[in-house]
Amino acid sequence: MTANNKQPGTWSKLLRYCHKYIPAVLIAVLGAAIGTVLTLLGPDKLSEMTDLITQGFASSIDMDAVTSIGFFLIIIYGISAVLSLLQGLIMSSVTQKVSKRLRGDLSHKMNRLPLSYYNNSTTGDILSRVTNDVDTIGQALNQSVGTLVTALAMFIGSIIMMFKTNWIMTVTAIVTTIIGFGLMSIIMKKSQKYFQSQQEYLGKINGHVEEVYTGHTVVKAYNAEAQMRGAFEDLNRNLKNSVFKAQFLSGLMMPIMMFIGNLGFVAVCVVGAVLATNGDISFGVIVAFMMYVRFFTQPLSQIAQAAQSLQSASAAGKRVFEFLEAEEMDDESGKTVQLKAATGKVKFDHVQFAYEGTDRPVIKDFSTEVQPGKKIAIVGPTGAGKTTLVNLLIRFNELTDGEIYIDDIPISGLTRENIHDQFCMVLQDTWLFEGTIRENLVYNQTGITDQEIQEACKSVGLHHFIQTLSAGYDTVLNDKVNLSAGQKQQLTIARAMLKNAPMLILDEATSSVDTRTELLIQQAMDRLMEGRTSFVIAHRLSTIRNADIILVLKDGDILESGSHSELLSKNGFYAELYNSQFEQVS
């Protein structure tokens, strides 16, 4: 088909993807074909019945023969209906299994993609691939494959039976339909690009809606509703235009096929009348042929509908397989080195890093060594590379050059999962899922007691607030439970305390809490950091005065390093940063 010619790769990939379901599909196809063949026997038998009745007008009607033919027709039509139902059940089951497998593979794929992919893609577009595009493929397979098989079987079978009945009338019907096939081919070729843009704009509009909904507070605060509405209207207009052109062109196929079918029907009636007048065929042949012509032209409309649905599936399939074939993180199944529990010695050896697609280095040539149990503070202006440095340490990003060692083991020789087990982490952006407070606190951990949960929450000053909730620690976090930004951050800090990993990363962990709560959390963090190597990214320099080493980053390099008092005595860049904050507070 034209859709296949347009994107042969998509359909060949989908065929390979569904190979284990091919036997079930073939059974459904065979059932549909058999049912179609049985249906095609009907007009031939009706022709016999018509001739018997016509002849009976001259003498007497052979009711036994008529009854026999009637029962035969009921049986074959009944079997055809059962086979059609069986085909529908099989195809529904297969398409839902394929859709389930696609969604599952897309979900697994998300965990294997590097962060750079998500940095270059919107959440809404990825969501659209997992939901809209997969549903489009499933609906097309369910509705179109069975329809297409039945239509083709009906079309081919009709031609055979028509030739068997009368070749002159058959040629007349075929000539009129050649025009229809030509027009359908042209339309499908033109409409495919619009089906592709339709799926792309659907992903973009989902991304825009997700973005605006997530940041609706900022949108309202800046009175940017009109601007966001304008961007939405542009996307919506482009989507409307693409959908209109795709649907309009594909919608032309149905009336064109109906016109060609009716034209063929008229031509066959005229030729049949001439042949009957000359005595070349009987009246029963004309009755049978009129039904065959309907069987012959009806599949053309069904094929047109199936082609429209398959074009949408082709566009959706391309987007789904683009995602499934995106470059993944390196396979680490062959790595055998395991770090049970790190002592906390960390060494950065001439670390360099630049984001994919850019030559501008974020980390130029970073080297330092951290002894176990030390508290390392990383400070510097925005864009200095503080968070990037931590992301490299836990391998959220891969090094461009150099190496990082944990307990003298290069992190490139450890699996990402093993590295993540060595750290408990609190990020500036809090993340909580819809579940109970208890489930959020013990996220992906086992063996945590209620007492440990309560002690962690007491340490961060959240236990009293949780007790005031209707269900306490079993309260489900959703839109009905309003937590402040500071309370959400307190929960994530308590979660990190419960993980109890040998090393700790704090990325602006107290940025959303008030001064009193910050002091309480700071005391809890100090207890948590005892005996642990801790990396603290901070903008409030007052929170890291007790750090063993303060690394001052600027433009991806270590500008200064030392304790708080040592850096102040140097009266350098750190002293300038600290004094500027002190003056602001004053």
Side-chain angles (χ1 to χ4, degrees), residues 112-183:
R112 299 194 298 266
L113 290 173
L115 285 182
S116 59
Y117 184 90
Y118 297 104
N119 293 334
N120 298 324
S121 305
T122 64
T123 304
D125 183 64
I126 295 174
L127 180 63
S128 183
R129 294 175 194 252
V130 178
T131 55
N132 294 333
D133 292 333
V134 172
D135 285 344
T136 299
I137 294 172
Q139 290 174 8
L141 292 177
N142 186 29
Q143 299 172 5
S144 302
V145 173
T147 301
L148 192 60
V149 169
T150 303
L152 288 174
M154 183 73 76
F155 183 75
I156 296 171
S158 298
I159 293 178
I160 295 172
M161 295 302 292
M162 287 164 67
F163 269 113
K164 176 178 175 292
T165 306
N166 186 278
W167 71 270
I168 297 177
M169 297 173 70
T170 303
V171 171
T172 304
I174 291 175
V175 169
T176 57
T177 57
I178 292 176
I179 304 171
F181 272 113
L183 290 174

Side-chain angles (χ1 to χ4, degrees), residues 13 17 103 135 207 275 348 364 383 419 446 478 532:
K13 291 170 188 173
Y17 191 84
R103 285 191 292 266
D135 285 344
L275 293 174
F348 294 84
K364 295 179 181 178
I419 295 172
T446 56
N478 51 32
R532 289 182 173 85

